[in-house]
Amino acid sequence: MSGLVLASSLLGNGGSAPAKPPASLEQPDRPLPENPAPAAPSPPTGQPTRPAPGNASLPEIPGTGLLRPGDTGHGVYELQVRLLQIPHIYDGGAINGRYDTEVRQAVARFQNAYGISGDETGVYGDNTRHALMLRTK
């Protein structure tokens, strides 16, 4: 309704002088702060962000961290999808997000076939992840 009042006051002026907006629409002059608060620092480029302790609302980045038999979830699902892309490693394996015996054996075959060391046999650690990611999409 205030728009109608404003419009009618503009029309009622007869076009002689621009109407001043009602005081309720005016913005008071507010000085800018002398010392604005500093922005939060950003993590270095390429570094994953991790949730703050006690802040469970932020999801962990899928496919990161150590994966081993008994694990479930999106990271295992991603591992299974990548293993299927390597011939004779996980042929016909399930894509179900469960790190079972078949997945452990496939990871061990991959580690053996590509000479990956540094991770426990059948465990998807940093070295195995790096090698698999270089060879898959």
Side-chain angles (χ1 to χ4, degrees):
M1 172 113 174
S2 64
L4 290 175
V5 172
L6 180 60
S8 66
S9 70
L10 288 174
L11 293 174
N13 248 351
S16 61
K20 183 178 178 185
S24 63
L25 295 178
E26 290 182 11
Q27 294 293 320
D29 291 330
R30 293 184 186 153
L32 295 174
E34 290 181 28
N35 296 321
S42 300
T45 303
Q47 294 293 320
T49 55
R50 297 285 179 176
N55 188 356
S57 64
L58 297 174
E60 183 167 330
I61 299 169
T64 61
L66 188 72
L67 295 175
R68 60 177 61 242
D71 287 344
T72 60
H74 189 73
V76 179
Y77 175 90
E78 292 284 330
L79 168 60
Q80 291 169 324
V81 168
R82 287 182 183 271
L83 287 171
L84 276 174
Q85 295 176 39
I86 307 293
H88 312 296
I89 296 295
Y90 190 56
D91 294 338
I95 306 294
N96 58 13
R98 290 190 302 236
Y99 204 120
D100 56 15
T101 303
E102 282 185 80
V103 174
R104 184 190 61 72
Q105 290 171 346
V107 169
R109 275 192 295 278
F110 177 78
Q111 290 168 328
N112 185 49
Y114 291 93
I116 298 154
S117 59
D119 291 334
E120 183 181 336
T121 301
V123 172
Y124 191 56
D126 290 337
N127 296 335
T128 306
R129 174 178 291 105
H130 182 72
L132 185 60
M133 291 182 94
L134 286 175
R135 291 168 174 85
T136 59
K137 301 180 210 179

